[in-house]
């Protein structure tokens, strides 16, 4: 499956694409252009135009930009780019992004890799490339783009949400992607640790007590006062809404934070590991 075809496997994506396809076809027909003529005008083949209009492929942003110019749509077609970009991502990624965007506080512990919201693009690519069975080239690009797009909520200096990350020291020392990729990743962690709304802590390998040995998880407090948990293992992504289960995660995370170094001590350890890398 190509990158363009990705995202058409769920109801939400299908509804968006039916609207986009209808608009594209109406504008083309109103201009009196055949698919072949329209394709030639925007620099694509007739077969591709046909695939887009049948809803079999998701048009790239540049396709919509060129269509807007050729059809003199005054920005109406180009405005569809954001919706189209969203549905190109897998449904579970879109759902997770919505959940994160609605959180007033996000707490996350990870002992396998650097948390996705803090990953550099190069590190994310290396992590996702290790998946088995592997993604094909288009799927890999799609997954990396989706992960990087989720980071807007952390990178936005005006963000109101607060973030707490605890990383096991092993994730700082595991050379995913090689030396230069890890150096860039460690530098990214130092940058993020300076954000006013981010607390970044490291749980040292020297600690005799570690309440996070059973794996990564996150806890999200939502705008309506409720909280949910989220765990992801192998190919399974699960949102936890049962209050008692969420409470257990909350207690566990509090203990993990207490076992970890303070944010200042954690920054010093990251700088030390960076110097050794």
């Amino acid at each position: 499956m190509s990158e363009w075809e990705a995202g058409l496997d769920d109801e939400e994506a299908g509804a968006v694409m039916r609207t986009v396809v209808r608009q594209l076809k109406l504008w083309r027909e109103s201009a009196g252009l055949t698919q072949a003529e329209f394709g030639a005008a925007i620099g694509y083949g007739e077969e591709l135009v046909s695939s887009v209009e049948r809803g079999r492929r998701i048009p790239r942003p540049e396709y919509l930009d060129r269509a807007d110019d050729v059809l003199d749509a005054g920005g109406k077609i180009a405005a569809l780019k954001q919706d189209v970009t969203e549905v190109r991502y897998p449904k579970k990624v879109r759902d997770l992004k919505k959940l994160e965007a609605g959180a007033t506080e996000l707490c996350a512990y990870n002992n396998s890799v650097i948390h996705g919201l803090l990953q550099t693009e190069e590190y994310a690519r290396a992590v996702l490339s290790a998946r088995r069975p592997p993604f094909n080239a288009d799927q890999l690009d799609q997954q990396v783009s989706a992960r990087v797009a989720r980071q807007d909520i952390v990178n936005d200096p005006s963000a109101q949400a607060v973030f707490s990350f605890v990383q096991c020291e092993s994730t700082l020392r595991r050379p995913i992607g090689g030396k230069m990729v890890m150096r860039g990743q460690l530098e990214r962690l130092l940058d993020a640790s300076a954000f006013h709304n981010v607390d970044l802590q490291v749980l040292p390998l020297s600690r005799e007590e570690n309440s996070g040995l059973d794996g990564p998880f996150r806890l999200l407090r939502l705008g309506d006062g409720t909280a949910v948990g989220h765990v992801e293992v192998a190919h399974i992504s699960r949102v936890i809404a049962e209050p008692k289960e969420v409470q257990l995660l909350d207690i566990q995370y509090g203990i993990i934070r207490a076992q970890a170094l303070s944010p200042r001590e954690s920054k010093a350890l990251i700088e030390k590991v960076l110097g050794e890398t």
Side-chain angles (χ1 to χ4, degrees), residues 139-259:
Q139 290 171 332
L140 180 60
D141 287 344
Q142 177 199 36
Q143 293 285 336
V144 172
S145 297
R147 181 160 298 182
V148 172
R150 282 174 43 216
Q151 298 175 358
D152 290 346
I153 61 170
V154 179
N155 297 336
D156 183 359
S158 64
Q160 298 299 308
V162 294
F163 301 88
S164 168
F165 299 98
V166 179
Q167 291 287 152
C168 178
E169 183 182 348
S170 61
T171 65
L172 309 182
R173 298 187 178 278
R174 187 170 292 121
I176 293 176
K179 179 177 179 180
M180 296 311 296
V181 169
M182 279 307 303
R183 284 190 62 84
Q185 180 58 68
L186 293 170
E187 290 168 352
R188 161 64 176 161
L189 290 181
L190 291 173
D191 289 342
S193 70
F195 293 173
H196 73 283
N197 58 341
V198 172
D199 279 334
L200 177 58
Q201 296 176 256
V202 177
L203 182 54
L205 289 169
S206 60
R207 288 285 196 262
E208 292 184 8
E209 295 182 340
N210 182 335
S211 296
L213 293 176
D214 50 355
F217 66 93
R218 73 190 77 189
L219 186 69
L220 302 98
R221 305 188 197 283
L222 307 180
D224 62 2
T226 62
V228 296
H230 179 261
V231 293
E232 193 166 8
V233 57
H235 307 293
I236 301 171
S237 177
R238 179 188 171 212
V239 173
I240 300 170
E242 170 59 42
K244 289 185 178 180
E245 293 186 37
V246 175
Q247 185 180 39
L248 290 176
L249 288 180
D250 193 10
I251 294 171
Q252 182 181 5
Y253 190 74
I255 295 172
I256 290 173
R257 287 197 73 176
Q259 294 168 340

